Structures are given as C-alpha cells and as structure tokens.
Amino acid sequence: MSQEDVEAAYEFDQQAVLKELRAILGSDSIITDPAGLKPYECDGLTAIREEPWVVVVPENEAQVIAVVDVCRHAGVPLVPRGAGTGLSGGARPRADGVVLSLARMNRILEIDPLNCTARLQPGVRNLAISEAVAELGLYYAPDPSSQIACSIGGNVAENSGGVHCLKYGLTVHNVVGLRVLTSEGDLLTIGGSVLEAPGFDLLALLCGSEGMLGIVTEVTVQLLPKPPEVIVMLGAFADAENCGQAVADIIGHGVIPAGMEMMDKLAIQAAEQFAHAGYPLDAGAILLIELDGTAEEVAAVGETVEHLLKRSGASHVEIAVDPEAQQKLWKGRKSAFPAVGRLAPDYYCMDGTIPRRRLADVLRRIDELSQEYDLPVANVFHAGDGNLHPLILFDANIPGQLEATEEMGGRILELCVQMGGTVTGEHGVGIEKLNQMCVQFNALELSQFFAVKDAFDPAGILNPGKGIPTLTRCGELGGMHVRQGDLPFADIERF
Amino acid sequence: MSEIAEQINAAQADRRKVFIRGGSSKNAWLPSFPDEERDADVLDMVSSSGVVNYQPEELVVTALAGTKLKEVNQLLLDSNQDFAFDPPQFSDSGTVGGLVASGLSGPTRAWLGSVRDAVLGVEVVNGRGEQLRFGGQVMKNVAGYDVSRLFAGSWGALGAIVSVSLRVQPAADVERTLQFELDAEQAVGFCRSLARQYLPLTGSWWQNGQLHLRLSGPEAAVTAAMAHLGGEVVNAGVLWESVRDHTHGFFVKGLDGALDDNRELCRLVVPPAAPVPGFDCPFAMEWGAGLRWVWHDSPEEVVAYARSAGGWCWVKGATIRVEAAQQKYMQRLKASFDPDDLFLSPVAGAS
C-alpha cells in the first residue's frame, strides 16, 4: 500500500466481516450499537471524535490473533486501544474500521521476584503493577499522570514518561520483553527477563510506535527496589529565569533528582486555588524537587540542593519530610491541568521538549504569542528533562478561538523544534501533531518512517493515518520543513 | 557527510558491498565475511571526528562518529561526568560511532542502563545515500519511530552513523569494591537478593569462587551500603576496567581463560536468576548474573543452554543469530534502510 492511500476510505464487505468477527468473539466482546460505540469515539484528545464502525474487546491472545486474521484477509483497518487515556488521538477510531480494545486482557500473568520482572497482559493498569509488587519492596518506575487508569500496553505504544523519568527513564528503559502480533499474523517474542535481545533492537523500535507496527499482547517489565527515603522540596522564585538557573545549577552540580517540576505564575495561582497546596502566590515561578535514596544520601543531597536553590535566588525554600506534607506539595502540581481547566471553558495542552538552557527564551516567546493571540497560557514544565506543557486557555464557543488556539499551539511546537527540541516529548503524535511532524522531519526522513512501517505492516491496516504525515499532507501545508536552505518537498506539486 | 553519501552511491552504482569501519577495536567480535565480500568498499568513519556540542548541565554530548571514545571520556571527566553504560575500550582506537553501532555496554549495564538507553539522536546515511536525522538532543522525544535507538547494536547493517547525541551522567563521588567468597550458585542467589534492595551497585564480577561488587555514588550512600553488605573491602585496582575492556586474564586466550586452544568465548545474556550451567570450563558472571561468559569447545551446547534458560548466546567472532519469526522482520527492516543490501553486518539475516 502506498503511503498516500492511508487517508482514503477502506472498502470491504461489512456484513461478511461482521459475521466472521461474531464467530470468533462472544456477544459481549463485540460492540456495534451507537450507545455502546459512544465511549470509543475519542481518547484523551476529546476535541477530535469519530464513531467507529465496530469495537471488539477480546479476552485472550487467541482471539486477538483471530481478529487480526479476519481484518488482514478483508483489508479492514484496525485501531488498537488501551485505556483510551492518550492525549494525541492515537486511538481515534475510523468510521471504516475496527477498534481493537485490549482493556479486557488485564491479568498480571507472572511476578518473578528473583529476576525482578513482571509479565503482564497489555490491559493491566500502570499503577496496578506497583501495587501488586509493593509487598516485595519493588515498584514499576514510569508513572504517567494517568497512571491510575492508563494501561501498560498503551504505555508501550506511546513510550510514556512521567514525573520521575529524568532519573528512572521512559517506558523503553523499563520494559525488557514484549509479545507482539504483526498484521501478517506473526507472533514475535522479543527479549524476556533479559537485559538484551539479539539482532536489531525491535523492542526500542516498538516502544512509542503508536500501534502502527504491531499489537502488543504481553509486556515484561523490569521492577526496581523502592527507595527507602524520599523528601520533597519547594523553591519559590521571582521569575522563571532564576528558576531555570536553579535547575541548571542542580544538575551541573551532579544531582539527578527523582523529579523536578516547574510551574509559572498562572499555573501556580490556578493550582493553589484548586488544591490549597500552600504555594506562595507572589512567586513568579516555583520548582518542586523530589529526592530519593537511602536516609543518609537524601539528607546529604537535600542540604546541597537547599544551598543551590538559595544561591540561585529562591526567596523561599520549603522541605517536606513526612509523606502528608509531601503529598500536599505534589497535589498542586498533579492537579495543575484540571486547575487550569477551571480558569477557562477549554484548554489545549502542548507537549514540546526543549534543551533546558533555552527555557527562558522559550517562555518569553510563548508570552509574546499569548499577547499576539490574546489567549492566556499557563506553563507547567518537567524541568529535569526539558518537557514543556504550555496550556492555552480558550473558549471553543467563541467562533474562531479553537482555530486560533490550534494555530498558536502549532507555532509553539515549531518554536520548540527551532530551539533544538521536539514537537512531542511524551504525549505522542497520534493525529494531533501530524502537521508539526512536517516541521521536524524532511521528506526523506518521513519516507524512511513509511518504509519502516511497510516492513512490519505492508498491508497498511494497523492504525493507518496516525503518527507519520504523508508527503502530500506536508506539501499542502504552508509552514514546512526547511533545513540548510533545501526546498522541502520540491518534488510535490502545489496548487 | 556528503562524502559518505557519495561513497555509498558509488558502491551502489557498481553493486559493491560496503564495510563501515570505525576504530576497528571490536574486529575480533566480527565474523569473517565470505570471500566475495572481502573486497568490499571500506567506508572509513575515523576521518570525520570531533565533539559538536557538549553542555554539561544539559547532560548531553553530541559527537561525530569518528571521534575517539577515549577523547570523549576525557572531555566528560573534565566536567566530572561520564557515560552511565561504561562502554568497553578494547583498544584506544574505539570511536563513538562504533560504540553505538556495536551496542556493547560495560559492567554498569544492569544498574545504570545500556548504550541504547543513552542514545538520544543520530544522523545517518542509509543505503540509498540519503542523509537523515532522527531523535535529537533532548531526553524525551516521541516524534516518529525511535530510529535512533534502532541504530544502537545494528552493527552497520542499516547505514553509517555520522553523528550521535548521547546522554551523560554526573560521575560518582566515590567508588568502593567488596569481595565475597561464594561459589557460582551462591553468588547468583546473593546477587538476586540484592536486586530487591535499594543499593548503589554499579558492578558485579564473579569468577573462581569470588564475587566482587562495586558500589558507587554519593559518599553517604556508599558508606551505608558497605556497612549493610559486609564482605571484605578490597582495593580493586584495575579490576573493573579489565573486566570491561577484556584485558582481565579470564578473557585472554591462553591465560587462565582458555588453556585449551579449541575453546571459544561465549557471551550469554540470560535471566539473571537462571541456574548455573554445569559446564566444566572457565566461567564468569557480570550484571548481577544476567551476563555470563563461558569458554567452551562446543559452543552449540552453550547456545542450547542459553536458549533453554530463556536467553541467548553470542559466540565471539560468529554471526549473531535470531529466531526465524523475528529474522523475517529484521531482514525487511534492513531492506527498508538498505534496499540493495550494501552494508556488511554480523547480524544474522541482515546480509
């Protein structure tokens, strides 16, 4: 299938396919009525909706294999779906396709305390893993903010991060084995309870592939020993510049905090009103720092960090030692999105990553854009790893505001690319950031992505139209990739 | 970079194979390619060298592929940083491109991550002579397929790495080594019990009834761990470097490693709790028992053991073998980057 075909409609004999699917699945595992389809219209990116043709909810791997067989033979597009908490529309369904929900495959298959791994079905919730192994003193490190609901299969598809990934890495750093079903029906067992697998690193390639290369039917994760001590510190600053300097100083000093989160003035005010975390309302920016380790380590490093915060101009430093006080400080940050959501009828969350040293420049530019478009922006920032979440406040009921917001968001992401960063740090491209991909990658790079896709899914039935924009799409866009003076997409006609 | 593309295009036009060569420090690990492929064009990456960007507080270094690993290590050390994966230096000629292409991690692997884990971005030239950039210089990046990490351990099969951005870490304040008298099975059990405890472990080496553990990190953490673990505090000297760089006697053919000249060095990656094999031959373990080394005169037996234990084995100087179902997709992946099959590589089925 050519890459240009993915946005075209798929044609197949719907009655015949439905009959075959019914033969595989129990009646409660196949959804066709409008009321039942409704919850599957979108994922966490609720602005983009589509009613799927059919939803299937298999109970085991054998059923997944059978469903994929049917879809392959009939040429039916498949949209794999975990918990549906993704923020970029990766699980946005198609009117001419099947949504393959893995939510019911939610069993923990094996906990291996000797190898410190857990073998899981894809629908196991992220938080349920840590809960299940807590009695062994172990946990699963990546903790996306949706961890109470999101599934491990979805985490693999999006290569999810979380607030602790500067120290503990993303999903790709914490998964050691996968079982993956390709659209051709091959079941690949990659890795296992081992630290390396032979040949090309398919595991790394599949992490973050947004369900476009294969369907994950089993995941083996690495479990880590829980650090015995944790402290949380808050530093308040007059402005974002000083706050950014503190981040550089701490890392430059050889400290890798377990978490390091920054919030700007608008985000602080919103969070404080919402969560009453005790944040200083007069601060221009705050930094939340979590340190973990042995008691001795945390005490020694905590002293260093306190000194560095003050040296960078922190007007106020607070240290939370007991879990309640820590939770209170974190609560403000963790509720920042809903808190900001109360300031306006709608908000749009961006997900760019930038080199940390560019933070002050980027925030200044975002402020200028905010004034140009007359749309307020609150910024929360995974400061340790440079992942910025500007939240643009708008009202979709005011004509033109959604479009203005999307345009402004696009410009923020283009800014991130210009600064040496990326259009998405952890939310994925899905359907939302296809246009910005044209800014980050040139035609040859996009073609290489499509060639990789073809290697796994030559029929093009897995999550078509997501993740990678077609050259035609990029060619039709105004703002396009320009690198070293090359004219991008010179070989494509424009009208 | 365009010179590299020109050489690849020239080889493509004349249907000649291409051998991408860095510092040749890992040549002993490569299989001997068939005669007709021996006169392949050599793509010499060493001339393209230099650190492009290094900002210590960003925890990232970007270097051209031909940059000597030794030079980069020194540069990092000057800022009190290093690579978490502690890459082997089988000779002083090793390059940054070679370390990524080989994907070989050192003794810290089990605790601090692999080469692949540290790869943030690459610039490459594929078999069509196309110059491509994937990933970047930032820690988190999920834009497009993670092609940059795919190049780690690809052994040249997919294309030439022109430059690479790697994550770095603050160097440890202190390092101590503890020694325990344990047989192999006891050592496996001990290492596995340690894996459930929060400890600043960064290395384990078992051989000949002795287990050495390396602790490194903040002084407070290391001191507390020493008090907790017991064992004998020893001056490790060059132990960890020699294990990493295979200058340790165990790895040297003809020394205590392999008196029998017919023995071959087998590298086994197995679940760390896997039972100790019953081979009557030189045996050693790293990575909390997840990486094991055997000198054996019939490597097939070792391959079978590794497989039965849920792992795999690479015999030094042989092809890296992959199970059939995966090989199909690896061949297709190879073809997606290198449709004319120009690049020689020891990855099974890649050529």
Side-chain angles (χ1 to χ4, degrees):
Chain A
M1 160 160 302
S2 117
Q3 52 170 293
E4 305 304 338
D5 295 340
V6 295
E7 286 169 6
Y10 286 69
E11 286 176 16
F12 52 90
D13 181 345
Q14 295 197 346
Q15 286 315 308
V17 171
L18 202 54
K19 197 174 157 197
E20 285 186 73
L21 290 174
R22 287 196 200 283
I24 298 162
L25 300 157
S27 58
D28 64 338
S29 291
I30 182 160
I31 302 166
T32 55
D33 64 297
L37 294 173
K38 191 90 186 153
Y40 295 91
E41 279 184 354
C42 64
D43 57 13
L45 182 72
T46 53
I48 302 176
R49 290 170 185 273
E50 177 88 60
E51 184 177 282
W53 170 56
V54 168
V55 174
V56 296
V57 195
E59 286 171 7
N60 53 52
E61 191 180 68
Q63 288 182 342
V64 176
I65 293 170
V67 167
V68 169
D69 269 347
V70 168
C71 291
R72 177 177 65 253
H73 287 127
V76 183
L78 270 165
V79 178
R81 180 184 170 106
T85 56
L87 294 171
S88 57
R92 199 278 319 250
R94 300 176 63 102
D96 59 357
V98 170
V99 168
L100 174 60
S101 167
L102 295 147
R104 218 173 270 172
M105 287 173 60
N106 61 358
R107 280 188 306 131
I108 295 176
L109 299 171
E110 185 189 2
I111 292 167
D112 180 345
L114 289 178
N115 288 310
C116 295
T117 54
R119 205 157 54 81
L120 315 158
Q121 287 190 325
V124 172
R125 287 179 309 113
N126 173 296
L127 189 61
I129 308 167
S130 291
E131 287 171 350
V133 299
E135 58 177 18
L136 297 168
L138 301 172
Y139 77 117
Y140 174 64
D143 57 346
S145 58
S146 55
Q147 70 173 157
I148 193 163
C150 65
S151 67
I152 189 67
N155 289 177
V156 170
E158 299 296 324
N159 193 14
S160 306
V163 296
H164 293 104
C165 52
L166 176 68
K167 184 167 180 182
Y168 295 103
L170 307 162
T171 302
V172 68
H173 301 108
N174 291 277
V175 166
V176 289
L178 290 178
R179 260 163 90 89
V180 176
L181 180 68
T182 68
S183 68
E184 295 194 331
D186 292 307
L187 198 53
L188 310 180
T189 304
I190 302 163
S193 288
V194 289
L195 290 167
E196 258 177 25
F200 299 145
D201 201 332
L202 300 184
L203 196 150
L205 181 66
L206 286 155
C207 281
S209 63
E210 303 201 43
M212 297 186 292
L213 302 182
I215 295 160
V216 173
T217 62
E218 210 175 284
V219 183
T220 305
V221 299
Q222 186 75 60
L223 304 169
L224 298 179
K226 213 160 171 51
E229 289 292 331
V230 175
I231 60 169
V232 179
M233 305 172 82
L234 177 146
F237 294 85
D239 57 46
E241 213 145 324
N242 283 342
C243 193
Q245 188 56 46
V247 173
D249 284 354
I250 290 165
I251 290 172
H253 214 82
V255 177
I256 303 288
M260 184 147 58
E261 297 289 314
M262 185 173 151
M263 295 163 74
D264 74 357
K265 195 173 185 80
L266 188 53
I268 296 167
Q269 288 174 343
E272 185 54 27
Q273 275 177 27
F274 187 86
H276 310 293
Y279 294 166
L281 287 169
D282 56 343
I286 59 166
L287 196 56
L288 282 174
I289 297 171
E290 183 173 301
L291 301 173
D292 66 6
T294 60
E296 299 85 352
E297 184 181 358
V298 166
V301 179
E303 218 167 280
T304 306
V305 171
E306 186 180 357
H307 167 71
L308 292 170
L309 287 172
K310 286 180 175 161
R311 205 183 67 180
S312 307
S315 57
H316 167 77
V317 175
E318 197 177 320
I319 302 172
V321 179
D322 69 272
E324 261 174 49
Q326 292 174 4
Q327 272 170 21
K328 192 175 159 197
L329 282 184
W330 269 123
K331 194 179 169 205
R333 166 61 186 92
K334 289 188 172 171
S335 56
F337 285 19
V340 168
R342 294 211 309 192
L343 300 181
D346 301 284
Y347 72 91
Y348 192 56
C349 174
M350 317 304 303
D351 176 44
T353 300
I354 52 169
R356 276 184 302 263
R357 66 181 181 282
R358 302 284 197 191
L359 178 65
D361 293 341
V362 170
L363 290 181
R364 206 174 301 124
R365 187 75 192 107
I366 289 175
D367 193 41
E368 286 166 16
L369 286 168
S370 167
Q371 287 171 28
E372 183 185 330
Y373 284 86
D374 197 21
L375 294 168
V377 179
N379 288 289
V380 295
F381 185 50
H382 300 301
D385 43 46
N387 191 194
L388 186 64
H389 294 310
L391 304 165
I392 307 173
L393 305 183
F394 71 104
D395 183 350
N397 288 324
I398 299 175
Q401 274 219 346
L402 174 62
E403 293 72 20
T405 301
E406 284 180 341
E407 187 184 307
M408 178 178 161
R411 288 179 68 183
I412 291 175
L413 294 182
E414 286 161 23
L415 176 67
C416 292
V417 175
Q418 280 167 20
M419 292 287 179
T422 174
V423 297
T424 174
E426 60 182 0
H427 295 170
V429 175
I431 200 131
E432 184 200 20
K433 301 184 199 77
L434 284 169
N435 290 350
Q436 281 73 39
M437 286 289 284
C438 306
V439 179
Q440 190 164 339
F441 295 100
N442 68 26
L444 294 177
E445 289 152 355
L446 294 173
S447 296
Q448 182 64 67
F449 282 143
F450 275 103
V452 168
K453 163 81 170 168
D454 266 355
F456 279 84
D457 178 29
I461 59 166
L462 282 183
N463 217 3
K466 308 282 174 61
I468 316 292
T470 62
L471 299 188
T472 308
R473 183 186 189 110
C474 291
E476 283 166 359
L477 281 171
M480 287 176 303
H481 181 98
V482 179
R483 187 189 292 162
Q484 293 158 0
D486 295 337
L487 177 67
F489 311 106
D491 49 337
I492 290 174
E493 284 185 321
R494 294 192 192 86
F495 299 99
Chain B
M1 184 145 132
S2 60
E3 245 173 66
I4 295 165
E6 275 169 30
Q7 284 191 56
I8 290 172
N9 286 333
Q12 187 186 27
D14 296 345
R15 302 261 154 198
R16 291 192 306 272
K17 296 277 179 187
V18 175
F19 180 73
I20 305 166
R21 190 172 68 191
S24 299
S25 67
K26 302 179 184 83
N27 270 6
W29 283 90
L30 297 175
S32 50
F33 294 106
D35 285 346
E36 67 271 19
E37 295 180 356
R38 281 212 186 118
D39 54 354
D41 284 9
V42 171
L43 197 55
D44 185 355
M45 303 303 295
V46 172
S47 55
S48 154
S49 104
V51 171
V52 179
N53 190 20
Y54 173 46
Q55 311 265 349
E57 72 280 4
E58 296 283 339
L59 300 174
V60 179
V61 63
T62 303
L64 296 176
T67 315
K68 294 263 188 297
L69 172 57
K70 215 180 154 188
E71 286 167 27
V72 180
N73 278 341
Q74 188 56 52
L75 180 75
L76 299 180
L77 199 60
D78 291 345
S79 291
N80 206 27
Q81 295 191 330
D82 56 26
F83 289 123
F85 50 87
D86 199 14
Q89 301 169 55
F90 297 138
S91 82
D92 285 350
S93 65
T95 62
V96 172
L99 94 82
V100 174
S102 71
L104 290 175
S105 308
T108 55
R109 165 55 186 113
W111 301 275
L112 302 179
S114 63
V115 175
R116 169 262 257 176
D117 288 345
V119 171
L120 300 177
V122 292
E123 282 184 63
V124 298
V125 181
N126 67 11
R128 286 180 287 263
E130 295 167 347
Q131 308 172 3
L132 311 172
R133 206 184 292 191
F134 299 102
Q137 301 189 346
V138 289
M139 301 294 155
K140 284 161 93 177
N141 189 346
V142 290
Y145 302 120
D146 198 344
V147 171
S148 50
R149 288 200 170 94
L150 185 63
F151 269 75
S154 65
W155 287 96
L158 305 175
I161 298 168
V162 176
S163 77
V164 60
S165 295
L166 291 162
R167 178 171 176 171
V168 300
Q169 65 168 12
D173 297 339
V174 294
E175 183 181 309
R176 297 283 182 273
T177 298
L178 302 176
Q179 183 182 305
F180 301 82
E181 306 292 322
L182 298 168
D183 67 26
E185 267 169 50
Q186 291 170 327
V188 171
F190 186 49
C191 285
R192 296 331 298 156
S193 72
L194 299 184
R196 293 191 295 276
Q197 301 170 44
Y198 188 91
L199 292 164
L201 279 169
T202 58
S204 76
W205 171 251
W206 181 91
Q207 190 217 355
N208 268 346
Q210 282 186 340
L211 175 71
H212 287 92
L213 294 179
R214 177 168 61 182
L215 302 165
S216 37
E219 185 159 14
V222 171
T223 308
M226 284 166 66
H228 171 71
L229 288 172
E232 187 188 343
V233 184
V234 295
N235 178 356
V238 296
L239 172 72
W240 298 107
E241 288 78 3
S242 71
V243 167
R244 180 192 71 194
D245 300 340
H246 290 192
T247 51
H248 187 283
F250 174 85
F251 293 102
V252 182
K253 204 162 189 170
L255 283 181
D256 57 340
L259 298 170
D260 178 348
D261 266 351
N262 291 325
R263 284 182 170 160
E264 295 187 61
L265 182 60
C266 303
R267 178 183 189 270
L268 294 83
V269 182
V270 292
V276 174
F279 306 127
D280 181 22
C281 30
F283 178 68
M285 298 186 285
E286 288 184 65
W287 297 2
L291 176 66
R292 302 178 184 189
W293 300 95
V294 180
W295 284 96
H296 204 288
D297 54 11
S298 63
E300 284 310 313
E301 281 182 40
V302 184
V303 171
Y305 156 76
R307 208 168 278 162
S308 71
W312 60 288
C313 170
W314 182 22
V315 183
K316 186 175 180 179
T319 304
I320 299 170
R321 285 184 285 190
V322 180
E323 64 148 296
Q326 285 185 46
Q327 193 168 326
K328 168 179 162 186
Y329 290 92
M330 289 188 193
Q331 280 169 343
R332 287 188 186 170
L333 259 181
K334 156 90 170 163
S336 80
F337 285 87
D338 178 22
D340 296 318
D341 194 17
L342 299 180
F343 301 122
L344 294 178
S345 168
V347 179
S351 279

